[in-house]
Amino acid sequence: MIKDLLIILVASSLVSNVVLSQFLGLCPFLGVSKKTDTALGMGTAVIFVITLASAVAGAIYKFILKPLDLTYLQTIVFILVIAALVQFVEMVLKKYLPSLYNALGVYLPLITTNCAVLGVALTNVQKEYGIGTGIVNGFATAVGFTISITILAGIRERIEGNDIPEPFKGMPIVLITAGLMAIAFCGFSGLL
C-alpha cells in the first residue's frame, strides 16, 4: 500500500507532470510564472485547491453519485466543488495575504476553470482511486504543478535581462523554455 502511494507520488508529480506532459493548467503556468514568489503563491493555492477538491469530489462520487447512479453528473458536480473551494481560497488570501491576492490577480479565480484541477478529479474517478489514494494523487499532481511553475518562473527571471533576439522576446522564449522543460521532465520516466 505504501509502495503504491509512493509510486503515485513520484508519477503524478514528476513523470506525468500535469503541465509538462499532460498540458493541463497552461493558462496559470504561462501567466503567473513571471516572478518566483508569485509562482510559489499560485502553486500553494493550487496545492490547497486540488488536494481538497480530490477529497471532496472523491467523497461525493463514492457516497452520493455512485450509489444514486448519478455518475453522469460528475463533471458538473466537480466544477461546483472546485468553484466553491477557489472562492474560499480567494477570501482567505484577500483577508490574510492581500499582496499575494493582488499579485495573482485574475489568475486566482481562473483556478476554477483550470483544467488541471478538474483533470485530477476526473482521473481519480477513471482510475477508480479510493478517497485516500485520490488525495495523494491530487496532492502529488499539485506539487508537480508547483515545481514546474516555480522552475519556469526562476528561468524567466534569469532570462529577463538577457539579450534575446527580437522575434523570440516575450512569450516565444517562454514557450521554448517550457518545451525544453517538458523534454527534461521526460527524463523522469525512467524512474518508474
Side-chain angles (χ1 to χ4, degrees):
M1 179 70 176
I2 299 289
K3 181 182 175 184
D4 293 336
L5 292 178
L6 286 173
I7 289 172
I8 289 172
L9 273 168
V10 172
S12 295
S13 60
L14 297 175
V15 177
S16 299
N17 187 285
V18 71
V19 177
L20 300 174
S21 69
Q22 298 177 23
F23 307 112
L24 298 175
L26 288 175
C27 180
F29 177 70
L30 296 173
V32 185
S33 61
K34 292 178 183 167
K35 300 210 174 286
T36 309
D37 54 343
T38 308
L40 275 171
M42 174 58 91
T44 304
V46 168
I47 287 172
F48 180 78
V49 170
I50 288 182
T51 304
L52 234 57
S54 296
V56 174
I60 288 173
Y61 183 81
K62 182 177 181 177
F63 297 117
I64 297 172
L65 297 178
K66 201 168 183 182
L68 296 176
D69 198 29
L70 297 172
T71 55
Y72 60 90
L73 293 174
Q74 69 188 12
T75 304
I76 295 169
V77 171
F78 292 170
I79 289 172
L80 291 173
V81 166
I82 292 164
L85 290 172
V86 170
Q87 288 299 312
F88 175 72
V89 168
E90 195 171 1
M91 289 186 304
V92 169
L93 287 180
K94 191 173 186 177
K95 179 155 179 90
Y96 297 108
L97 297 168
S99 61
L100 179 59
Y101 173 80
N102 292 328
L104 293 175
V106 70
Y107 293 101
L108 184 59
L110 282 178
I111 294 175
T112 303
T113 58
N114 184 341
C115 52
V117 182
L118 181 60
V120 170
L122 293 174
T123 298
N124 289 343
V125 169
Q126 288 173 346
K127 292 188 176 184
E128 297 179 357
Y129 287 156
I131 296 172
T133 307
I135 292 170
V136 169
N137 181 50
F139 176 76
T141 301
V143 167
F145 176 86
T146 304
I147 290 168
S148 57
I149 195 172
T150 305
I151 290 172
L152 182 64
I155 294 170
R156 285 180 78 173
E157 285 179 351
R158 301 259 336 219
I159 64 174
E160 189 175 289
N162 292 346
D163 187 27
I164 299 170
E166 194 62 37
F168 293 106
K169 285 187 178 179
M171 196 50 68
I173 196 68
V174 173
L175 292 173
I176 291 169
T177 304
L180 292 172
M181 284 176 58
I183 292 169
F185 268 66
C186 285
F188 290 120
S189 63
L191 289 175
L192 300 177

